[in-house]
Amino acid sequence: MDTTFDKTGAAILALNDLYIRSGVPASNAPRPSWYKVVGLILAIVSGLFIGVSFVLKKHGLLAANVKYNEEAGEGYGYLKNVWWWCGMTLMILGELCNFAAYLFVDAILVAPLGALSVVVCTILSAIFLKERLSFVGKVGCFNCIIGSVIIALNVPTQSGIDDINELRHMVAQPGFATWGSLVVAVSLVVAFWLGPKYGKKSMFVYLTVCSLIGGLSVVAVQGLGIGIMAQTRGIPQFNQWFLYVVLVFVIITLVTEIIYLNVRLLSVLRCRKR
């Protein structure tokens, strides 16, 4: 009996040694501590860039309306405005930093820090666009900062998934599939039915589209980032078809967000003129 146990133990140790030599990391292995620092810095820089971009784009929209005598929310004169393009450039840089942050930390840290862009935009709008910030708005900004700090201090050191195959398995789960399908369906209804009817009266119509699609975009961007990081660790990812599905989905969702974010800014200007 003892001999049998000895042989079994030796076999298990041999298999474990082969597994370690293969270079495949253990599931949910702790990440290096500097990953969190780099991801945190990238997320903060992203929030700063995106926050400033909102102010620049809105300034460009206002200037274009005056220069080309356009009604707020109508026309494309802003495409000829240098301030609008500066804002768009900063937004692209911010999104790139945001994507890079997903390479180092999970969405549970990056997404909340995106709220910093709201705080930056609010402060700069009050300074440069002479917009008033109510008491409720100040409390909201304070809560954004406190919430982001608390989450940053308590973010887990282990990743939920390690490669694109794990993401494919989790996406195929009934819960996520149902939620994702519902989000897409509601977004289509809001964009193509409610938008034309109520989009000129309320900014929340197109804001809803940005928010819903943004939720899916976060998952897709993080999945793409995890796939890239797994590839750098020696785990083949670019031979997996699902990685390219995620890439296409990232492009579609980000373009959709940019389009409806611009429409939302135009609707804000329209609502203020009423």
Side-chain angles (χ1 to χ4, degrees):
M1 182 67 69
D2 292 338
T3 305
T4 303
F5 279 122
D6 289 341
K7 291 182 179 180
T8 304
I12 293 175
L13 290 175
L15 289 173
N16 182 65
D17 184 61
L18 290 174
Y19 180 79
I20 294 175
R21 291 181 180 181
S22 67
V24 179
S27 178
N28 293 330
R31 295 174 172 179
S33 58
W34 61 269
Y35 268 40
K36 181 178 178 180
V37 176
V38 173
L40 184 64
I41 293 174
L42 288 170
I44 293 175
V45 171
S46 172
L48 293 174
F49 280 179
I50 294 176
V52 174
S53 73
F54 285 143
V55 178
L56 292 179
K57 287 176 67 177
K58 189 170 183 179
H59 177 72
L61 290 170
L62 291 170
N65 288 335
V66 173
K67 182 175 181 180
Y68 299 104
N69 194 27
E70 294 177 343
E71 188 69 21
E74 303 293 340
Y76 297 94
Y78 59 86
L79 293 176
K80 303 176 184 178
N81 186 276
V82 65
W83 288 108
W84 187 87
W85 280 108
C86 287
M88 179 58 69
T89 302
L90 271 182
M91 177 169 283
I92 293 173
L93 291 175
E95 292 295 347
L96 289 176
C97 290
N98 190 61
F99 171 75
Y102 284 112
L103 299 177
F104 297 95
V105 291
D106 290 334
I108 194 174
L109 173 61
V110 180
L113 287 178
L116 293 178
S117 64
V118 178
V119 179
V120 173
C121 179
T122 301
I123 295 174
L124 294 182
S125 295
I127 297 174
F128 296 104
L129 300 180
K130 308 303 179 183
E131 297 181 355
R132 291 187 59 188
L133 182 61
S134 65
F135 175 75
V136 176
K138 294 177 182 178
V139 173
C141 290
F142 178 76
N143 287 335
C144 286
I145 296 174
I146 295 299
S148 299
V149 171
I150 291 175
I151 292 177
L153 294 176
N154 295 278
V155 67
T157 58
Q158 295 179 343
S159 174
I161 55 177
D162 290 324
D163 57 40
I164 200 67
N165 285 324
E166 290 186 30
L167 177 66
R168 176 166 60 88
H169 174 72
M170 298 181 72
V171 168
Q173 296 301 309
F176 184 88
T178 301
W179 174 76
S181 301
L182 183 62
V183 168
V184 172
V186 172
S187 299
L188 292 174
V189 171
V190 173
F192 296 106
W193 185 62
L194 296 179
K197 295 179 65 175
Y198 305 105
K200 294 183 179 181
K201 301 177 182 179
S202 174
M203 63 181 177
F204 293 105
V205 176
Y206 294 115
L207 180 62
T208 301
V209 178
C210 291
S211 300
L212 291 174
I213 296 299
L216 294 178
S217 177
V218 166
V219 176
V221 170
Q222 185 185 12
L224 184 62
I226 287 173
I228 294 175
M229 290 301 289
Q231 181 70 37
T232 62
R233 298 197 306 268
I235 306 175
Q237 298 289 288
F238 291 101
N239 60 350
Q240 304 293 327
W241 63 269
F242 190 70
L243 180 69
Y244 299 97
V245 173
V246 173
L247 176 60
V248 172
F249 194 80
V250 167
I251 295 173
I252 294 174
T253 54
L254 291 182
V255 170
T256 302
E257 285 185 76
I258 291 174
I259 292 174
Y260 282 99
L261 185 60
N262 193 62
V263 173
R264 183 190 67 119
L265 288 175
L266 292 173
S267 66
V268 170
L269 296 178
R270 187 188 297 113
C271 292
R272 288 199 167 192
K273 283 202 168 187
R274 288 183 179 273

